Amino acid sequence: MRHLMSPLDFSVEEVAQLLDLARDIEASPEKYAHICDGKKLATIFYEPSTRTRLSFEAAMMNLGGNVLGFSSAASSSASKGESVADTIRMISCYADICAIRHPKEGAPMVASMHSSIPVINAGDGGHQHPTQTLTDLMTIRSLKGRLDNITIGLCGDLKFGRTVHSLINALVRYENVKFILISPEELKLPGYVREDVIKKNGYEYKEVERLEEVMPELDILYMTRVQQERFFNEEDYVRMKDFYILDNAKMSLARPDMLVLHPLPRVNEIAVEVDADPRAVYFKQVQYGVYVRMALILTLLELKG
Amino acid sequence: MRHLMSPLDFSVEEVAQLLDLARDIEASPEKYAHICDGKKLATIFYEPSTRTRLSFEAAMMNLGGNVLGFSSAASSSASKGESVADTIRMISCYADICAIRHPKEGAPMVASMHSSIPVINAGDGGHQHPTQTLTDLMTIRSLKGRLDNITIGLCGDLKFGRTVHSLINALVRYENVKFILISPEELKLPGYVREDVIKKNGYEYKEVERLEEVMPELDILYMTRVQQERFFNEEDYVRMKDFYILDNAKMSLARPDMLVLHPLPRVNEIAVEVDADPRAVYFKQVQYGVYVRMALILTLLELKG
Amino acid sequence: MRHLMSPLDFSVEEVAQLLDLARDIEASPEKYAHICDGKKLATIFYEPSTRTRLSFEAAMMNLGGNVLGFSSAASSSASKGESVADTIRMISCYADICAIRHPKEGAPMVASMHSSIPVINAGDGGHQHPTQTLTDLMTIRSLKGRLDNITIGLCGDLKFGRTVHSLINALVRYENVKFILISPEELKLPGYVREDVIKKNGYEYKEVERLEEVMPELDILYMTRVQQERFFNEEDYVRMKDFYILDNAKMSLARPDMLVLHPLPRVNEIAVEVDADPRAVYFKQVQYGVYVRMALILTLLELKG
């Protein structure tokens, strides 16, 4: 039995198979509409995340399966002092597969060690969020046609941004990827990613402070939210949050085939006017997220289309 | 693609078609039991409303469909600052149709403007609650046999009562409806409904302070709750809340075929002893609400029985 | 139409039939996978209880049915002052069967009196929790092969422990059951159970303070949680909570075929090291809980396999 804790749990070949399956699901959803009839997904969310939870639930329902679970710790037995290990043993009696989100790093790993059903990490604190990364990969591959030979700009909060670290780790398995790191000094990519992941693996990168100056080079622009809760004081947040706002003026500097991705939710880091630009694919990304999760559920349950 | 924002979105003919469909669903539910197989309804409730949410969910399940969503803003991405426009774009990737409830007037309208799936307004503040109105119309038509030629008493909080305003707007499209407005001075029907809707359209009405004096005239008595949160001070609430309580003594003054409706939940404005009276149809009204919502889902999804 | 308020609502013969049905479901789940197609279970939880709620939901889904409801009072119309009687009348329009949990004793009974669908008490304060008791009985009968001729140790909080009182009431309908009551002086079994249930029915019992001294005698050890909220002061709780912790040292004193049950969630009253012991069956108990609830839903809906 297999779990998904990190996007690196799958080899490059396995990622390719997963994305191929997701593409086939996109092309022929009716083939998969009853493949999980009688199966149940448990969504065990110790902190709310509507987007991720509903994406998993839509995915399971698209496969014909059912969903049960809880959407916040308040309505769970965690409030009675139960351990994650005991909770997953209980959930193993109720469902065939489980997606777990937890504010503590490593909680999904603990769950997977005591589970008798496949466990998917649906986000553990600032640590991993592998289905977001798989979604990003599918979006790039589907709309760009490739995962290698790309120049990707990563913009915003690169210090705390879990999705950015995770995406970098996933992309250094493909050839000739160039990273442009766009952030204020205070939110630069940490050394353990810049040095140990990008540089050590022999990939090219550069760090810049202004989005405008690199727009023309990019194949992909990956925008991220500057989360207020990551800041220690209000003043710093207010000063920096608007530094890296994407608008039509900046978009006019980019290539006609550049793609803008965003893990969402966005607050104001992408102006609403950009939504109408065909290069803005962050809502398509949401749809790809459903296909990837469908493919993942099938893969972990070892079901064929 | 069509949305439902206000009960007036449907013409009189379309309302008749919808209620005909609801009646056929009531008569032959098995014909409709699989018509939404593989479809998903999203219930996006930014404020809790068990009655409305579960009515929509039961409706979709009765049609063979699935349901996903959230039941309060706390467990949604709204708490991360996401706009309704972005949320509905996400939901459009997850579901085939959406029912949205929001404390702010106009939020469902904003959602409908950015949605790629049909959006149903399931209540927006004090503004509109169209499926309640359609439920009221079905209840009257089913049990009274007609929507024209009726004398309807509207009792309680006519000032803030959204369902009352909405029902009046819906009824002034039928012939010879007479309105009896029963409320304390402080909670009288606002001029923009009394003058601009009832009077301007040439309908008869009268305003009274005592329920007893008009009971014998009524074909329909529409009771409403006096909501504590609508009052500015506790004292006013306590003084007025019991003025308009319906009990068996008052019921004895009414015609044998008068019907009592109530949008529910009731607190104490209808004494429990009245429940046993066959003229009390407020629980039947709940059941009609399910049929109407089933008909509405089918209509907006353009599915036939 | 029949409800389940107390485990004693079923006669000994009816319990045997229910457990036979549950055993058949365990053996041939596919026979029952579509028996509730098109049916709906409402889970009406006025206080959170993930374990019980999800067990009911998994049970209904395993039978092919759908689930709707709410998981805490905050998201229900109770907050608008609606009575349980009115809520169940509404729920009767939405679902075919209902499981209700309420902090107030007797609330499920009130619901059953106004319901037009079968109502299951899913726990009412410190009063009854009949599906837990049926689960306990199924676990003992399945793994021990009998409900009579057993010596059962009940350990922990016997004063406030609803499941313990309920299990004792259920077991005094079988022959030759011996009760060993293991608790601190402060949490002893109340006289109205010890005298009026055990002694009056002619059953043997003894009360001890130390778990070790009785381990060798037991066929079944039923462990319970010492709930902090039952104590009037923190000091008493801290002093007593670790008195009755089951660990491998104590397990080594027990018979090779003794079974350890626990209604869960456990906090620290059973050391994690015990989980690996084949005599620890508290997670199997969770699985039996699903089968019992499936059998119960079928029985109350009068459906055959």
Side-chain angles (χ1 to χ4, degrees):
Chain A
M1 191 182 51
R2 201 160 175 185
H3 308 288
L4 179 71
M5 292 298 116
S6 149
L8 303 183
D9 289 358
F10 288 128
S11 69
V12 170
E13 292 70 31
E14 287 171 328
V15 168
Q17 282 166 17
L18 186 87
L19 299 187
D20 287 348
L21 177 55
R23 187 176 51 191
D24 194 59
I25 289 169
E26 181 188 5
S28 314
E30 69 291 346
K31 265 172 56 186
Y32 299 89
H34 292 286
I35 196 165
C36 282
D37 276 5
K39 301 279 183 199
K40 282 164 287 152
L41 164 73
T43 49
I44 302 301
F45 277 54
Y46 289 88
E47 62 177 8
S49 173
T50 311
R51 183 173 315 278
T52 304
R53 181 173 61 82
L54 295 185
S55 183
F56 272 110
E57 299 190 5
M60 190 54 167
M61 290 173 178
N62 287 347
L63 297 167
N66 279 307
V67 177
L68 46 75
F70 53 86
S71 58
S72 72
S75 58
S76 83
S77 11
S79 57
K80 294 180 186 164
E82 187 176 59
S83 68
V84 166
D86 279 16
T87 298
I88 195 68
R89 284 188 185 106
M90 165 184 77
I91 294 297
S92 296
C93 297
Y94 296 161
D96 300 285
I97 186 166
C98 175
I100 179 172
R101 186 175 196 112
H102 201 287
K104 274 200 201 144
E105 291 188 17
M109 179 62 83
V110 171
S112 72
M113 289 161 52
H114 295 90
S115 178
S116 55
I117 58 174
V119 174
I120 301 167
N121 179 0
D124 57 337
H127 189 224
Q128 297 282 359
H129 188 10
T131 56
Q132 180 64 52
T133 303
L134 293 170
T135 298
D136 298 340
L137 295 179
M138 185 180 180
T139 307
I140 296 170
R141 203 186 74 158
S142 297
L143 298 175
K144 211 71 203 169
R146 64 182 191 275
L147 288 167
D148 50 12
N149 297 299
I150 57 171
T151 297
I152 181 165
L154 300 152
C155 178
D157 174 0
L158 308 188
K159 184 171 183 184
F160 300 104
R162 168 176 64 180
T163 55
V164 166
H165 302 181
S166 199
L167 182 56
I168 291 171
N169 271 283
L171 284 173
V172 295
R173 308 201 291 178
Y174 301 91
E175 281 183 27
N176 192 27
V177 176
K178 186 177 168 188
F179 298 92
I180 315 277
L181 309 171
I182 309 147
S183 76
E185 183 65 27
E186 293 87 341
L187 294 175
K188 278 173 70 172
L189 194 69
Y192 65 85
V193 183
R194 199 182 54 240
E195 300 300 315
D196 299 351
V197 181
I198 299 180
K199 199 169 179 183
K200 190 176 285 177
N201 283 288
Y203 287 82
E204 213 181 313
Y205 73 91
K206 69 174 167 185
E207 295 186 298
V208 300
E209 281 208 320
R210 291 176 41 122
L211 187 47
E212 285 95 333
E213 64 185 84
V214 294
M215 285 297 281
E217 303 174 41
L218 305 178
D219 295 311
I220 308 286
L221 172 58
Y222 196 93
M223 295 292 297
T224 65
R225 181 158 60 108
V226 177
Q227 292 179 266
Q228 185 164 2
E229 61 265 37
R230 301 299 188 199
F231 285 84
F232 294 112
N233 67 72
E234 178 79 12
E235 197 186 315
D236 270 10
Y237 171 70
V238 170
R239 181 172 56 84
M240 290 188 290
K241 77 183 166 66
D242 295 340
F243 279 13
Y244 300 88
I245 292 182
L246 184 65
D247 55 16
N248 278 347
K250 294 197 188 81
M251 285 298 284
S252 69
L253 305 171
R255 294 187 192 155
D257 64 349
M258 187 199 71
L259 301 178
V260 184
L261 278 72
H262 190 300
L264 303 182
R266 62 130 166 229
V267 182
N268 63 350
E269 61 277 12
I270 300 179
V272 170
E273 63 182 23
V274 178
D275 297 356
D277 192 307
R279 295 171 292 181
V281 299
Y282 30 89
F283 292 116
K284 283 189 188 163
Q285 209 175 341
V286 176
Q287 185 66 65
Y288 286 125
V290 178
Y291 298 135
V292 156
R293 288 181 179 95
M294 290 171 74
L296 179 63
I297 290 169
L298 292 183
T299 301
L300 295 183
L301 288 177
E302 299 178 20
L303 296 169
K304 302 282 170 207
Chain B
M1 191 182 52
R2 201 160 175 184
H3 308 287
L4 180 69
M5 291 298 117
S6 147
L8 303 183
D9 289 357
F10 287 127
S11 69
V12 170
E13 292 69 33
E14 287 171 329
V15 168
Q17 281 166 18
L18 186 86
L19 300 187
D20 287 348
L21 177 55
R23 187 176 52 191
D24 193 58
I25 290 169
E26 181 188 5
S28 315
E30 68 289 348
K31 266 172 54 186
Y32 300 89
H34 292 287
I35 196 165
C36 282
D37 277 4
K39 302 279 184 201
K40 282 164 286 153
L41 164 72
T43 49
I44 302 303
F45 277 55
Y46 288 88
E47 62 177 7
S49 173
T50 310
R51 183 174 313 280
T52 304
R53 181 174 60 83
L54 295 185
S55 184
F56 272 109
E57 299 190 4
M60 190 55 167
M61 290 174 179
N62 287 347
L63 297 166
N66 278 308
V67 177
L68 46 74
F70 52 86
S71 58
S72 72
S75 57
S76 83
S77 12
S79 57
K80 294 180 187 163
E82 187 174 58
S83 69
V84 166
D86 278 15
T87 298
I88 195 69
R89 283 190 185 105
M90 165 184 77
I91 295 297
S92 295
C93 297
Y94 296 161
D96 301 285
I97 186 167
C98 174
I100 178 172
R101 184 173 197 116
H102 201 288
K104 273 200 202 145
E105 292 188 16
M109 179 63 82
V110 171
S112 72
M113 290 161 51
H114 295 89
S115 179
S116 55
I117 58 173
V119 174
I120 301 168
N121 179 358
D124 56 337
H127 190 225
Q128 297 282 0
H129 187 10
T131 56
Q132 179 64 52
T133 303
L134 293 171
T135 298
D136 298 340
L137 295 179
M138 184 180 180
T139 306
I140 296 170
R141 203 186 76 157
S142 296
L143 298 176
K144 211 72 203 169
R146 64 184 191 274
L147 287 168
D148 50 13
N149 296 299
I150 56 170
T151 297
I152 182 166
L154 300 153
C155 177
D157 174 359
L158 307 188
K159 185 171 183 184
F160 300 105
R162 168 176 65 180
T163 55
V164 166
H165 303 180
S166 198
L167 183 56
I168 290 170
N169 272 284
L171 285 174
V172 296
R173 307 202 290 178
Y174 301 91
E175 284 183 24
N176 192 27
V177 176
K178 186 178 168 188
F179 298 93
I180 315 277
L181 308 171
I182 310 148
S183 76
E185 184 64 28
E186 293 87 341
L187 293 174
K188 277 173 74 172
L189 194 69
Y192 64 86
V193 183
R194 199 181 55 240
E195 300 301 314
D196 299 351
V197 181
I198 299 180
K199 200 167 177 184
K200 189 176 285 175
N201 284 288
Y203 287 80
E204 213 181 312
Y205 75 89
K206 69 174 168 186
E207 295 186 297
V208 299
E209 282 210 321
R210 291 177 41 122
L211 186 50
E212 285 95 333
E213 64 186 84
V214 294
M215 286 296 282
E217 302 173 44
L218 306 177
D219 294 312
I220 308 286
L221 171 59
Y222 196 91
M223 296 292 298
T224 65
R225 183 157 60 108
V226 177
Q227 290 180 266
Q228 186 164 3
E229 60 266 37
R230 300 299 188 198
F231 285 84
F232 294 112
N233 66 72
E234 177 80 12
E235 197 185 314
D236 270 11
Y237 170 71
V238 169
R239 181 172 57 82
M240 290 188 290
K241 76 182 167 67
D242 295 340
F243 280 13
Y244 300 88
I245 292 181
L246 184 66
D247 55 17
N248 278 348
K250 294 198 189 80
M251 285 298 284
S252 69
L253 305 171
R255 292 187 193 155
D257 63 350
M258 187 199 72
L259 300 178
V260 184
L261 277 72
H262 189 298
L264 302 183
R266 63 132 164 226
V267 181
N268 64 349
E269 60 277 10
I270 300 178
V272 169
E273 62 183 22
V274 177
D275 296 356
D277 192 307
R279 295 171 293 181
V281 299
Y282 29 90
F283 292 116
K284 283 189 188 165
Q285 209 176 340
V286 177
Q287 185 65 66
Y288 286 125
V290 178
Y291 298 134
V292 157
R293 289 181 178 94
M294 291 171 73
L296 179 63
I297 291 169
L298 293 183
T299 301
L300 295 182
L301 288 177
E302 299 179 20
L303 295 170
K304 303 281 171 204
Chain C
M1 191 183 53
R2 201 161 175 185
H3 309 288
L4 180 70
M5 292 298 117
S6 148
L8 303 184
D9 289 357
F10 287 127
S11 69
V12 170
E13 291 69 32
E14 287 171 329
V15 168
Q17 282 166 17
L18 186 87
L19 300 187
D20 286 348
L21 177 55
R23 187 176 52 192
D24 193 59
I25 289 169
E26 182 188 5
S28 314
E30 69 290 348
K31 265 172 55 186
Y32 299 90
H34 292 288
I35 196 164
C36 283
D37 276 5
K39 302 279 183 198
K40 283 164 287 153
L41 165 72
T43 49
I44 302 303
F45 277 55
Y46 289 88
E47 62 177 9
S49 174
T50 311
R51 183 174 313 278
T52 304
R53 181 174 62 82
L54 295 186
S55 184
F56 272 109
E57 299 190 5
M60 190 53 166
M61 290 174 178
N62 287 347
L63 297 166
N66 279 308
V67 177
L68 46 74
F70 53 85
S71 58
S72 72
S75 58
S76 83
S77 12
S79 57
K80 294 180 186 163
E82 186 174 62
S83 69
V84 166
D86 278 15
T87 299
I88 194 70
R89 283 189 185 106
M90 165 184 77
I91 295 297
S92 295
C93 297
Y94 295 160
D96 300 285
I97 186 167
C98 174
I100 179 173
R101 185 174 196 114
H102 202 287
K104 273 200 201 145
E105 293 189 16
M109 178 64 81
V110 170
S112 72
M113 289 162 53
H114 296 89
S115 178
S116 55
I117 58 173
V119 174
I120 301 167
N121 179 359
D124 56 338
H127 189 224
Q128 297 283 359
H129 188 9
T131 56
Q132 179 64 52
T133 303
L134 292 170
T135 299
D136 298 340
L137 294 180
M138 184 179 180
T139 307
I140 296 171
R141 203 186 75 158
S142 297
L143 298 176
K144 210 72 202 168
R146 64 184 190 273
L147 288 168
D148 51 12
N149 297 299
I150 56 170
T151 296
I152 183 167
L154 300 152
C155 177
D157 173 359
L158 307 188
K159 185 170 181 183
F160 301 103
R162 170 176 64 179
T163 55
V164 166
H165 302 180
S166 199
L167 182 57
I168 290 171
N169 271 284
L171 285 174
V172 295
R173 307 202 291 178
Y174 301 91
E175 284 184 24
N176 193 27
V177 176
K178 187 177 168 188
F179 298 94
I180 315 277
L181 309 171
I182 310 147
S183 76
E185 184 65 27
E186 293 87 340
L187 293 174
K188 277 174 72 173
L189 194 69
Y192 65 85
V193 183
R194 198 181 56 240
E195 300 301 313
D196 299 351
V197 181
I198 299 181
K199 199 168 177 183
K200 190 177 284 177
N201 283 288
Y203 286 81
E204 215 181 313
Y205 74 91
K206 69 175 168 185
E207 296 185 297
V208 300
E209 282 210 320
R210 292 176 42 120
L211 187 48
E212 285 95 334
E213 65 186 83
V214 294
M215 286 296 280
E217 302 173 43
L218 305 178
D219 295 312
I220 308 286
L221 172 59
Y222 196 92
M223 294 292 298
T224 65
R225 182 159 60 108
V226 178
Q227 291 180 266
Q228 186 165 2
E229 60 266 37
R230 302 298 188 198
F231 285 84
F232 295 110
N233 68 71
E234 178 79 11
E235 197 185 314
D236 270 12
Y237 171 72
V238 170
R239 181 173 56 83
M240 289 188 292
K241 76 182 167 66
D242 294 341
F243 280 13
Y244 300 88
I245 292 180
L246 184 65
D247 55 16
N248 278 348
K250 293 197 190 81
M251 284 300 283
S252 70
L253 304 171
R255 292 187 193 157
D257 63 350
M258 188 198 73
L259 301 177
V260 184
L261 279 73
H262 189 299
L264 302 182
R266 63 130 166 226
V267 182
N268 64 351
E269 61 276 12
I270 301 179
V272 169
E273 63 182 23
V274 176
D275 296 357
D277 192 307
R279 294 170 293 182
V281 298
Y282 29 90
F283 292 117
K284 284 189 188 166
Q285 209 176 340
V286 176
Q287 186 64 68
Y288 286 126
V290 178
Y291 298 135
V292 156
R293 288 180 179 95
M294 292 171 73
L296 179 63
I297 290 169
L298 293 183
T299 301
L300 295 182
L301 288 176
E302 299 180 18
L303 296 169
K304 301 283 170 205

